Amino acid sequence: MIKAKGVVKTFDGFCALDGFDMTVERGSIYGLVGPNGAGKTTIINHLMGVLKSDEGQIMIDGEEPWENADLKQKVLCINDEWYFYPSFSVKEMAKLYENLYKNFNRQRYEALGEILKIEENRQIRRLSKGMKKQVAFRIVLSCMPEVLILDEPLDGLDPVMRKQIMNVIISDVAERQMTVLVSSHNLRELEDICDHVGIIHSGKMVIEKPLDDLRGNIQKVQMVFADDLPDGLNAELDILHLSKTGSVYTAIIRGDAKEVEEKVKGYNPVIFDKVNLTLEEVFIYELGGLGYDFKHIIV
């Protein structure tokens, strides 16, 4: 379990984290979303024990990560620019990790090599960005981490490889209760893999909920009535957005799905259909009133 409470971190007068709170349950895949500069990398560096907070507390499985060598054996990270020694081959980098991490599983490493097929004698620096990411996933997942932190992890990978790697991670979560924190500026990358999502904005956690709860509180429906939209609907429902195409009204409504359906059907619509909400739409209508700039996280 990852727990951050009231974390504050400043750099030369700039407040990167401003009372940041976060809870990541064991065995979950948590998506941390926010634009560049929101504080995502700063909190990751705290979790990795690279930075120490000015105020507040960060705990991983009940332990503080700062100067905690034993904990760092269990917590591994793949970021957008995964570090490797410039002269090292894939094989040499794997051997280094095997020497550093006591839980490194050679059998797992070989098995992942059947999925991520990259010649082991090749120098990593001569590989494409996507191939470097594959090497990083192969080596890091072979260390059998209890907590895996991924910072913009899918950038550079083709769709097929993304799917294969995420399948391996989802399997580890199910079989070993591995905890995964995925940091990204892109909501669409997280939609199919995360069970919890948090949005960070200006160093603060703006909203943090299970993904199903987020979707369950906002409904998207399409309606057709014999005449115009009944006046009473606006009074009875919390309509966040309403548009009309031809005779079809499309509404985004805050509220329980069953209650929304009952109230709409009370006005005898000719057609009533529920439409699946994207994660993008959920956040737009949950947080639009806060002035959150979504164009930076929806691309």
Side-chain angles (χ1 to χ4, degrees):
M1 179 178 180
I2 299 171
K3 184 77 173 179
K5 183 67 175 177
V7 179
V8 175
K9 186 65 179 180
T10 58
F11 300 97
D12 297 325
F14 171 72
C15 189
L17 295 174
D18 185 11
F20 179 80
D21 297 331
M22 179 175 68
T23 301
V24 182
E25 299 292 341
R26 182 172 180 82
S28 69
I29 302 178
Y30 183 109
L32 181 64
V33 187
N36 294 332
K40 302 188 302 296
T41 299
T42 303
I43 191 63
I44 286 173
N45 285 334
H46 281 77
L47 294 171
M48 296 303 299
V50 176
L51 294 176
K52 182 175 175 60
S53 64
D54 300 331
E55 298 177 28
Q57 187 178 52
I58 294 178
M59 306 290 283
I60 299 178
D61 291 340
E63 299 183 55
E64 293 185 353
W66 177 251
E67 294 187 345
N68 190 332
D70 289 338
L71 185 62
K72 290 178 182 181
Q73 283 281 322
K74 306 173 186 177
V75 182
L76 281 87
C77 178
I78 300 174
N79 57 26
D80 193 39
E81 295 293 337
W82 181 68
Y83 180 80
F84 56 89
Y85 287 104
S87 64
F88 272 29
S89 66
V90 175
K91 181 189 294 185
E92 289 169 331
M93 198 66 186
K95 187 62 178 177
L96 175 64
Y97 270 70
E98 188 172 19
N99 291 333
L100 290 174
Y101 291 92
K102 61 185 179 182
N103 291 327
F104 188 95
N105 187 317
R106 175 57 62 169
Q107 185 177 359
R108 181 115 198 270
Y109 177 78
E110 300 299 338
L112 288 173
E114 296 299 315
I115 300 173
L116 311 174
K117 297 182 179 180
I118 298 175
E119 172 55 48
E120 287 202 273
N121 290 320
R122 292 186 65 179
Q123 284 187 315
I124 300 175
R125 66 185 177 90
R126 299 188 181 278
L127 300 175
S128 68
K129 184 175 183 178
M131 294 173 76
K132 288 175 185 174
K133 279 285 178 72
Q134 292 179 48
V135 171
F137 274 106
R138 181 182 180 186
I139 293 175
V140 169
L141 288 172
S142 297
C143 295
M144 310 300 285
E146 294 183 19
V147 176
L148 179 63
I149 298 173
L150 305 174
D151 190 4
E152 304 292 349
L154 304 179
D155 191 25
L157 295 173
D158 65 66
V160 173
M161 190 54 62
R162 288 184 185 193
K163 183 67 173 177
Q164 288 179 319
I165 288 174
M166 293 315 302
N167 283 343
V168 172
I169 290 172
I170 291 168
S171 176
D172 274 7
V173 170
E175 293 177 10
R176 302 194 294 109
Q177 284 292 286
M178 181 175 71
T179 303
V180 182
L181 173 66
V182 187
S183 167
S184 179
H185 70 282
N186 191 335
L187 285 170
R188 290 170 182 165
E189 286 188 348
L190 304 181
E191 185 155 15
D192 296 328
I193 60 172
C194 294
D195 46 52
H196 287 69
V197 179
I199 281 189
I200 180 174
H201 181 48
S202 298
K204 295 178 181 289
M205 182 65 78
V206 180
I207 190 168
E208 181 181 49
K209 287 185 179 182
L211 192 53
D212 287 345
D213 286 0
L214 277 171
R215 286 200 173 107
N217 190 49
I218 299 180
Q219 319 305 324
K220 184 177 183 179
V221 300
Q222 291 185 327
M223 309 167 288
V224 175
F225 295 92
D227 298 309
D228 292 334
L229 187 75
D231 293 334
L233 271 181
N234 281 319
E236 289 193 45
L237 296 172
D238 185 4
I239 299 177
L240 304 175
H241 179 77
L242 182 68
S243 61
K244 184 181 181 183
T245 303
S247 61
V248 180
Y249 291 93
T250 300
I252 307 292
I253 304 170
R254 190 192 307 276
D256 177 77
K258 186 175 180 180
E259 291 181 7
V260 167
E261 182 173 356
E262 288 177 351
K263 288 179 179 179
V264 173
K265 287 187 173 179
Y267 288 88
N268 300 314
V270 177
I271 296 174
F272 174 83
D273 282 327
K274 298 177 184 177
V275 182
N276 290 331
L277 273 166
T278 65
L279 182 57
E280 170 184 323
E281 289 173 315
V282 170
F283 280 121
I284 286 173
Y285 294 109
E286 275 280 7
L287 302 178
L290 298 178
Y292 193 88
D293 190 356
F294 284 91
K295 68 177 179 291
H296 295 302
I297 61 171
I298 300 170
V299 295

